[in-house]
Amino acid sequence: MSAVATSPSYSQPDSDNFLVNSRGFLSWALTLDHKRIGLMYLVGVMSAFGLAGILALVLRAELMTPTKMFLSNQQYNQVFTLHGAIMVFLFIIPSVPAALGNFLVPIMLGAKDVAFPRLNLCSFYLWVVGAIFFLTAMLATGLDTGWTFYTPYSTTTQGPVVAATLGVFVLGFSSIFTGLNFIVTINTMRPPGMSWFKMPLFLWATYATSIIQVLATPVLGITVLLLAAERVLHIGIFDPAYNGDPVTYQHFFWFYSHPAVYIMILPGMGIISELMSVHSHKSIFGYRFIAYSSIAIALFGFLVWGHHMFTAGMANVTTIIFSALTFSVSIPSAIKVFNWLATMYQGTVKLNTVMLYALSFIFLFTIGGLTGLWLGALSTDRMLHDTYFVVAHFHYVMVGGTLVGFLGGIFHWWPKMTGKMFNETWGKISCLIVFVGFNLTFLPQFVMGSRGMPRRYARYVEDFQELHQMSSVGAFVLGIGLFIALGVLLHSLFRGRKAPPNPWGGATLEWQCASPPPYYNFKTPPRVNEPYDYTPLHFRGDDKGWEYVHPTESDAPRVDEVESKPATN
Amino acid sequence: MLASNFPALLADKNTTFFFPPRASTFAEETDAFFLYILWISLFFFALIVIAMVYFAIKFRARPGYQGDSRPLHNNALEITWTVIPTLIVIWIFARGVYGYIDMVTPPTDTIDINVTARKWDWSFQYPNGAIADTLHVPVDKNIRLLMRSEDVLHSFYVPAFRAKQDVVPGRVTTYWVRPILRGEYDLFCAEYCGDQHSEMIKRKGVVVHDQAGYEAWLAKAAQPPRNPVAHGYWLYSRLGCKSCHAVEPGKRVVGPSLAGTFGETLKTADGESVVFDENYVRESVLEPQRKAREGYQNASQMPSFQGKLKNEELDAIIAFLKALKDNPALIDAVKDGDLTEDEAKALGYWTEESDAGESDGGAAPAEDGAAAPDEPSDAASATESTPPDGSENGPTETATAN
């Protein structure tokens, strides 16, 4: 037995590469390969992100002045609705789980595919159908309800509310199918030897996310159907004109949409757990605490929806209980941050592009988390609710957290997905510009909020103009940074150097197959090892990357020997 | 440019870097609590960032340095950084509840004011029956607002009071406040309510008087002007008409302009012809959707005023619309939402009764119109409304807060 047996990457022909093993449009459109589906999702969600990002810049440009520049009030409302709805439903919810998760979950398990490959493809097409439905509905006649569809505005306004909610309904099924698939995959397809506590933390995060997707998304489906029924049939549940109650709608809506916040952030946290460990070349600190905290967040996340409604007219006791529960969810997040930091201690920290994104995540997510304290506390929330303070808070979590984590993850797994190395210098520059631009955009918004600037305003009081202008300038800097990041990745496809199977020295299983992986991932099930034990890894130079040599095979063969030998099985 | 403007914001009177003026009893506790959380957060943020930067530099990969990749674990550390944040958030929770209880528990001796929110205006009904589109309250008295919405969700938000409360159709929500600082403050709608949501900014929409000033204002506000045209304008400016209907001919805000169409023959959405006469006005106010004009059928979100207006009031509105026809002087005077003393005098509708003292109510609402943030306070004190309201200078002086 040599290392060859456990490093199938060295033994497969290039023609098995999943990107090129079959060709033609149909080979992609009808593929059951989780990696291809993951890549198609990646292209899809990034297109949605690009569209919604441009809309954000339109909004920020309009807000340079307190009076009208180029958008009427009505157009402004439609643009912020589109921005929010596309970002939430088409980009951020499917971003990490569907794009990176699809690619990584089976490979990290040493498996060939997810448990239900056809369901997986179906979920992608549901996403496409939902997206088309949603976009045409919104672009055609202008939806202006905000992404939250609050009643009774949404039941009385003109505009394609029913079509848009049906789009959300379809997208919900896509999300449920993905979650279901991952739960079954992780439960049943872990290879022999991979106990729950030998799983990579990304899988723990994905598992926790999937639980939320499966349990919470049906409530969203019910909510939007009821909303459509109220609008069309006046069934009298949400609209006071027919004896309904708008606050009931808010309970329904946030019962999904708050857990959905954790659908958005938990996978990002999972990515950061991987990134911090691999690029610090250090076993993760407090594995079990991080794993349990993912599950804790998923469970607590179901109990805190009421904090979106502190000023909505709930009973006082209910409000106080929701405040207490809200604080409980802050603890597991704090634990994660401390554990990530401690992971660097005594490690070998490589300050490359990926690590800079991971450190940016910790910086920005910490601000996002801490500013939640003001909003969870009832008296300060009364002042800050529905102001720009809230806008800044959730952008720090969703953009500074999830998006930056997602970008870090894309850079980290890019060599694995495409087989190409990207330009480190420009990667670092993109991270720096994103970081500066992001903070310039959203830090001033906290101050605006505490001074009383309400959100969703097309026009505003002149006193806020300086802060709005800082924010707008920051938004364009952020846009440039993201554009550079995109450029770095696209450039690598054409000019990038060929990636070795394990360029960073990761110990999880995806690094033990070729870059890009063959369509069957592993010829033989790889031998399961500790996911964060870096002692068996040996660096063989930039071209060869890192090699995993099992501890029992201490007489590790040199790389040239490995290459010259044929596969033993 | 940005940097040079920044200190100017700090220099505003009565405001601090983070906060608008402290105009209610809630402000002291909320601001102090806000800053406590800020210090706690800054401490932990500094701790995290310093540790992050220190570790990233000290343990950075470099020639001649090899870190130790073996796992570390330390349960004592894990428990420490679980328990300490837990204790801190428990304190934050408790203090938040303490402030909250105060905010949602009105005292028994309150002045009750009924508030109606609608797209896209506020209407305040005072204990003596006066109705206005701005909130006037005496300083150092407990005020309770009983709030209803006629259409969609709104949220009553006065940053200087540090509190907001959603206004929910189908429910009455309450809000109480004890103002402690005389002045004029901005009133915002904080819950998205449609097209003109951001036009629900009411600059200086909340006026805190001294007791005498409040009473004087209240007495006047209960008296509409007698002249029908002036009365019609008075209603137009405080029933919310002006947030959707312009008085410049042909200008579309949400609904059609009110000017220039009286007596004309128009087309309805159904293709019928209709004469814009007294009957049509009456019908459109009471049943707005019945004969919507062509081109406006989709825009019509107007509430019915059935049961809310008396006959004389309908007549006054009709008189006002009639007067708007081919009357550039009147249009010029009222189109900016602000009717000055000179304008009112020149038009004649108001001045003929000015010696009676009652027409003040006609000019007063114009002067506190929402769209008049730039009206210099000197001009305001020069209007006829000043003599009976000795306190008017008080509010305008402290109004620099905004």
Side-chain angles (χ1 to χ4, degrees):
Chain A
M1 260 317 252
S2 75
V4 176
T6 52
S7 306
S9 56
Y10 294 100
S11 61
Q12 69 233 344
D14 248 7
S15 58
D16 287 356
N17 170 352
F18 83 97
L19 293 168
V20 294
N21 73 78
S22 55
R23 288 172 190 276
F25 176 76
L26 283 182
S27 78
W28 281 82
L30 299 178
T31 185
L32 298 179
D33 184 346
H34 66 99
K35 300 180 288 298
R36 287 190 168 190
I37 294 172
L39 277 191
M40 293 194 294
Y41 258 123
L42 184 65
V43 172
V45 297
M46 290 318 279
S47 310
F49 174 71
L51 175 61
I54 289 168
L55 294 174
L57 293 181
V58 170
L59 295 176
R60 284 309 332 168
E62 171 63 37
L63 291 172
M64 287 291 281
T65 63
T67 48
K68 177 175 171 174
M69 272 177 84
F70 53 89
L71 290 180
S72 71
N73 292 24
Q74 213 170 352
Q75 286 166 332
Y76 180 90
N77 297 340
Q78 292 171 3
V79 173
F80 85 65
T81 300
L82 268 176
H83 165 72
I86 294 177
M87 280 292 189
V88 169
F89 293 114
L90 292 182
F91 169 63
I92 203 159
I93 286 178
S95 65
V96 183
L100 286 178
N102 251 318
F103 193 93
L104 292 170
V105 168
I107 310 191
M108 281 184 162
L109 290 170
K112 266 189 139 133
D113 210 322
V114 291
F116 307 120
R118 284 178 184 79
L119 188 67
N120 201 18
L121 185 66
C122 170
S123 124
F124 173 72
Y125 280 111
L126 283 176
W127 182 87
V128 173
V129 170
I132 292 171
F133 214 72
F134 203 56
L135 282 178
T136 47
M138 296 207 285
L139 292 173
T141 37
L143 186 76
D144 66 344
T145 58
W147 77 275
T148 48
F149 299 109
Y150 268 15
T151 56
Y153 189 73
S154 59
T155 53
T156 51
T157 182
Q158 311 294 326
V161 177
V162 172
T165 50
L166 291 180
V168 171
F169 187 78
V170 175
L171 288 169
F173 269 96
S174 163
S175 189
I176 293 171
F177 288 167
T178 303
L180 197 65
N181 221 333
F182 288 168
I183 289 178
V184 176
T185 306
I186 293 172
N187 265 322
T188 62
M189 295 175 69
R190 276 174 294 119
M194 186 183 281
S195 62
W196 284 96
F197 291 101
K198 279 191 176 183
M199 282 202 317
L201 286 164
F202 181 77
L203 293 185
W204 272 101
T206 306
Y207 193 77
T209 309
S210 302
I211 291 173
I212 307 176
Q213 283 178 304
V214 170
L215 293 184
T217 316
V219 180
L220 176 72
I222 293 165
T223 309
V224 295
L225 281 189
L226 284 174
L227 179 60
E230 178 74 326
R231 197 179 152 88
V232 178
L233 308 171
H234 305 312
I235 57 173
I237 175 166
F238 298 142
D239 187 345
Y242 309 101
N243 219 10
D245 181 20
V247 179
T248 305
Y249 173 79
Q250 295 175 32
H251 279 292
F252 268 83
F253 181 79
W254 290 113
F255 185 86
Y256 164 76
S257 294
H258 193 79
V261 169
Y262 299 103
I263 297 178
M264 304 175 202
I265 191 65
L266 270 172
M269 292 169 159
I271 289 175
I272 298 304
S273 301
E274 301 295 328
L275 267 45
M276 290 302 290
S277 176
V278 171
H279 295 272
S280 300
H281 200 68
K282 174 79 182 172
S283 184
I284 192 89
F285 190 96
Y287 176 95
R288 280 180 186 245
F289 278 83
I290 296 182
Y292 284 135
S293 66
S294 290
I295 302 298
I297 288 173
L299 297 182
F300 284 135
F302 274 100
L303 306 175
V304 303
W305 78 89
H307 70 220
H308 295 269
M309 303 162 58
F310 282 166
T311 64
M314 283 193 301
N316 295 338
V317 177
T318 322
T319 307
I320 290 168
I321 290 170
F322 273 123
S323 172
L325 291 167
T326 297
F327 280 110
S328 71
V329 85
S330 66
I331 302 299
S333 310
I335 291 172
K336 281 180 190 279
V337 170
F338 292 130
N339 278 294
W340 291 328
L341 287 181
T343 299
M344 285 199 284
Y345 184 71
Q346 290 188 349
T348 314
V349 180
K350 282 176 282 269
L351 290 173
N352 53 19
T353 305
V354 178
M355 191 63 174
L356 290 182
Y357 273 103
L359 296 178
S360 302
F361 173 99
I362 294 179
F363 185 99
L364 302 173
F365 177 73
T366 303
I367 295 178
L370 287 170
T371 50
L373 295 175
W374 278 270
L375 300 172
L378 290 175
S379 59
T380 40
D381 181 74
R382 233 132 147 109
M383 154 190 181
L384 299 170
H385 204 90
D386 277 327
T387 67
Y388 264 70
F389 193 95
V390 176
V391 175
H393 162 72
F394 71 72
H395 279 91
Y396 262 92
V397 178
M398 300 287 92
V399 183
T402 309
L403 175 70
V404 168
F406 182 53
L407 285 177
I410 289 179
F411 276 105
H412 181 71
W413 283 293
W414 188 257
K416 180 56 62 186
M417 291 193 282
T418 64
K420 301 288 186 183
M421 298 302 287
F422 52 85
N423 183 310
E424 271 292 338
T425 312
W426 280 97
K428 287 181 197 170
I429 291 172
S430 78
C431 178
L432 188 75
I433 297 176
V434 166
F435 181 80
V436 170
F438 180 84
N439 282 300
L440 184 57
T441 311
F442 292 105
L443 269 182
Q445 296 189 0
F446 286 119
V447 183
M448 265 192 254
S450 74
R451 289 181 190 177
M453 168 81 206
R455 62 191 287 205
R456 295 178 163 180
Y457 264 22
R459 315 282 172 250
Y460 55 88
V461 171
E462 315 74 80
D463 306 5
F464 296 114
Q465 187 169 7
E466 284 85 3
L467 291 167
H468 267 302
Q469 286 178 341
M470 285 166 79
S471 186
S472 294
V473 171
F476 282 93
V477 174
L478 175 60
I480 292 169
L482 292 171
F483 203 71
I484 295 175
L486 178 69
V488 170
L489 293 175
L490 292 183
H491 175 264
S492 77
L493 289 181
F494 303 105
R495 295 290 171 82
R497 146 176 97 72
K498 190 171 164 22
N502 191 353
W504 315 120
T508 42
L509 294 181
E510 80 271 26
W511 302 110
Q512 295 193 30
C513 65
S515 297
Y519 61 90
Y520 43 79
N521 295 348
F522 300 94
K523 218 161 212 165
T524 54
R527 194 163 136 189
V528 172
N529 42 267
E530 291 287 341
Y532 301 107
D533 178 10
Y534 296 100
T535 45
L537 282 155
H538 297 272
F539 189 56
R540 308 294 191 200
D542 278 343
D543 289 340
K544 313 271 184 206
W546 296 73
E547 191 197 354
Y548 198 97
V549 184
H550 276 281
T552 47
E553 301 137 9
S554 52
D555 53 337
R558 294 201 357 258
V559 174
D560 41 353
E561 289 173 13
V562 173
E563 281 194 328
S564 61
K565 281 186 188 175
T568 48
N569 38 14
Chain B
M1 171 199 77
L2 298 171
S4 64
N5 280 331
F6 207 60
L9 293 172
L10 303 178
D12 281 355
K13 274 187 267 172
N14 276 327
T15 59
T16 54
F17 179 74
F18 284 114
F19 308 118
R22 295 182 179 180
S24 83
T25 48
F26 305 142
E28 192 183 346
E29 159 66 17
T30 309
D31 291 1
F33 185 36
F34 183 101
L35 293 174
Y36 286 137
I37 304 178
L38 180 66
W39 288 115
I40 293 169
S41 297
L42 282 178
F43 172 78
F44 280 97
F45 182 64
L47 194 75
I48 287 167
V49 171
I50 289 169
M52 186 169 95
V53 172
Y54 177 75
F55 289 169
I57 292 172
K58 175 131 202 248
F59 304 114
R60 74 187 185 280
R62 55 191 186 271
Y65 167 76
Q66 183 58 54
D68 179 0
S69 75
R70 283 172 304 173
L72 284 175
H73 197 68
N74 189 328
N75 272 327
L77 206 53
E78 294 276 7
I79 288 166
T80 310
W81 67 42
T82 307
V83 171
I84 291 179
T86 305
L87 294 176
I88 290 173
V89 299
I90 288 173
W91 178 80
I92 294 176
F93 161 72
R95 178 107 187 206
V97 170
Y98 167 78
Y100 175 75
I101 298 273
D102 184 30
M103 289 172 165
V104 294
T105 319
T108 47
D109 57 331
T110 53
I111 299 172
D112 287 0
I113 298 172
N114 289 317
V115 182
T116 306
R118 64 172 82 85
K119 294 188 239 175
W120 291 275
D121 208 353
W122 301 93
S123 158
F124 299 90
Q125 189 196 27
Y126 294 85
N128 70 346
I131 294 179
D133 63 345
T134 46
L135 177 64
H136 291 254
V137 289
V139 74
D140 293 325
K141 286 276 160 46
N142 300 322
I143 313 296
R144 188 168 65 151
L145 305 182
L146 300 164
M147 305 192 291
R148 284 173 304 162
S149 166
E150 283 185 0
D151 37 47
V152 298
L153 295 170
H154 300 277
S155 186
F156 181 89
Y157 177 37
V158 181
F161 290 163
R162 303 290 188 278
K164 69 170 63 65
Q165 176 65 50
D166 287 9
V167 188
V168 183
R171 292 186 179 193
V172 176
T173 51
T174 57
Y175 174 104
W176 89 275
V177 66
R178 185 183 175 93
I180 54 170
L181 183 67
R182 285 191 306 165
E184 294 172 310
Y185 306 104
D186 294 342
L187 164 63
F188 295 134
C189 173
E191 186 68 67
Y192 175 67
C193 57
D195 293 359
Q196 307 289 92
H197 171 49
S198 66
E199 306 299 324
M200 276 179 93
I201 298 175
K202 224 169 191 28
R203 300 231 59 186
K204 302 179 183 176
V206 177
V207 183
V208 180
H209 299 270
D210 62 17
Q211 185 65 29
Y214 170 69
E215 281 164 13
W217 178 86
L218 205 54
K220 272 187 302 153
Q223 298 290 335
R226 261 186 222 154
N227 179 293
V229 175
H231 189 188
Y233 173 70
W234 189 86
L235 292 166
Y236 165 78
S237 66
R238 53 184 66 199
L239 288 178
C241 316
K242 68 171 179 226
S243 41
C244 297
H245 297 284
V247 292
E248 296 103 308
K251 181 177 174 186
R252 176 177 184 153
V253 180
V254 176
S257 164
L258 298 181
T261 35
F262 199 90
E264 305 281 317
T265 305
L266 304 164
K267 268 209 161 153
T268 68
D270 301 335
E272 292 166 31
S273 291
V274 63
V275 181
F276 194 101
D277 58 5
E278 287 85 348
N279 271 322
Y280 182 68
V281 175
R282 198 183 162 85
E283 189 180 78
S284 298
V285 171
L286 301 180
E287 289 181 79
Q289 275 75 21
R290 187 146 168 199
K291 285 185 190 163
R293 276 173 50 185
E294 190 178 25
Y296 290 96
Q297 62 270 35
N298 286 332
S300 184
Q301 309 172 37
M302 181 170 157
S304 162
F305 284 82
Q306 185 87 49
K308 294 174 197 163
L309 289 174
K310 296 183 202 129
N311 273 332
E312 323 60 297
E313 290 171 325
L314 274 169
D315 290 343
I317 288 169
I318 291 166
F320 176 59
L321 295 195
K322 273 183 178 164
L324 280 173
K325 170 106 174 164
D326 299 328
N327 190 347
L330 177 61
I331 290 168
D332 269 356
V334 298
K335 71 177 179 193
D336 53 358
D338 177 32
L339 188 72
T340 64
E341 157 82 349
D342 290 345
E343 285 169 344
K345 232 174 214 156
L347 288 167
Y349 300 114
W350 286 267
T351 45
E352 65 190 64
E353 300 173 69
S354 67
D355 43 356
E358 287 176 354
S359 63
D360 294 354
E367 140 216 11
D368 61 26
D374 47 8
E375 177 69 16
S377 51
D378 292 344
S381 62
T383 63
E384 55 197 303
S385 70
T386 307
D389 186 352
S391 72
E392 205 60 46
N393 281 330
T396 43
E397 269 166 18
T398 46
T400 49
N402 286 315

